[in-house]
Amino acid sequence: MTAPRSAEGEQRVEVRLTRETDFDDMIALTRRVYPASAPWTREQLASHLRVFPEGQFVAVVDGRIVGMASSLIVLWDDYELANDWRDFTDGGMFTNHDPEHGRTLYGAEVMVDPAVQGRGVGGALYGARRDLVVRLGLRRIRAGARLRGYQQVASTMTAAEYVARVVRGELRDPTLSFQLGRGFTVIAVVSNYLRHDPESLGHAAVIEWINPAVA
């Protein structure tokens, strides 16, 4: 159980481990966040709990699920930076979870209900994920940050140029800027990470947070 986290003096955010009884609410949340994409399935969510229950979180405000974070442990040497989301998550099933050899927590998903964005929910979920990495003695968190704002400027710059300007603070990306503010750094820019995502046009920044206790 993860301790509740306050959302900057507003509504109290509780981050706890996912339960099977949460699945319907999580699927509904996915539809609100990604209305144009297929939501998580009960089969996928059940597989996450089966292989790595400690890595699955939901955020609750006033008894309602308003966010979720899903992760698995991977041996990074088994992958290439250019691999896509399906490669890193075994098609969303997490059956490639490798706690015996892996030292990297792969952040497969973080989402927050649009109705409560900016109220500390995302920060609470990222905090729970960092706490998990420290508790398990893992080396780092890595993830693909989908470039939600890239479509708006894709005709004028490459994805790499866009990421560089976001890192320098010249542009703001709804996802990447938030993650940079949580201590992540960019280690690569890749294409075809989420091939059918209309906002990022498939592009993502590979991001990393190093556990200071083992670095």
Side-chain angles (χ1 to χ4, degrees):
M1 183 68 69
T2 302
R5 298 169 182 269
S6 62
E8 299 179 357
E10 297 181 358
Q11 294 168 301
R12 187 172 179 82
V13 180
E14 177 195 2
V15 177
R16 60 166 173 79
L17 296 177
T18 300
R19 306 166 185 157
E20 186 174 356
T21 53
D22 297 326
F23 289 177
D24 288 343
D25 289 337
M26 295 168 71
I27 292 168
L29 172 65
T30 308
R31 290 193 172 107
R32 292 195 298 275
V33 175
Y34 303 121
S37 301
W40 287 105
T41 67
R42 292 184 65 87
E43 181 185 15
Q44 289 171 323
L45 296 173
S47 182
H48 303 172
L49 285 191
R50 185 166 56 250
V51 301
F52 188 33
E54 304 96 324
Q56 320 311 320
F57 299 107
V58 292
V60 181
V61 172
D62 293 336
R64 186 169 70 95
I65 290 177
V66 296
M68 62 173 283
S70 302
S71 60
L72 64 153
I73 297 172
V74 299
L75 175 62
W76 194 263
D77 290 348
D78 287 344
Y79 303 89
E80 301 289 341
L81 282 172
N83 284 155
D84 65 17
W85 181 88
R86 294 186 62 84
D87 294 326
F88 283 112
T89 66
D90 198 15
M93 297 295 287
F94 295 6
T95 42
N96 54 326
H97 174 61
D98 187 3
E100 181 178 355
H101 304 102
R103 299 290 307 284
T104 299
L105 188 80
Y106 187 77
E109 178 74 274
V110 173
M111 69 173 74
V112 175
D113 192 320
V116 299
Q117 287 182 354
R119 301 183 187 178
V121 176
L125 287 166
Y126 274 89
R129 190 176 269 174
R130 289 193 299 268
D131 291 346
L132 176 66
V133 167
V134 172
R135 178 165 58 82
L136 296 181
L138 300 177
R139 175 174 174 78
R140 60 197 172 194
I141 304 170
R142 281 186 174 176
R146 55 186 288 265
L147 304 177
R148 287 174 55 195
Y150 180 58
Q151 182 191 34
Q152 301 173 15
V153 298
S155 62
T156 63
M157 66 185 74
T158 66
E161 292 169 336
Y162 174 76
V163 169
R165 294 189 64 179
V166 172
V167 170
R168 292 196 299 264
E170 298 169 5
L171 295 174
R172 178 168 180 80
D173 180 86
T175 298
L176 181 58
S177 296
F178 175 85
Q179 292 162 325
L180 293 172
R182 297 303 179 278
F184 283 86
T185 58
V186 174
I187 60 174
V189 180
V190 297
S191 59
N192 295 320
Y193 179 73
L194 290 169
R195 298 178 185 179
H196 304 295
D197 177 31
E199 292 180 308
S200 68
L201 303 181
H203 294 88
V206 182
I207 58 172
E208 177 180 71
W209 178 83
I210 297 293
N211 178 3
V214 300

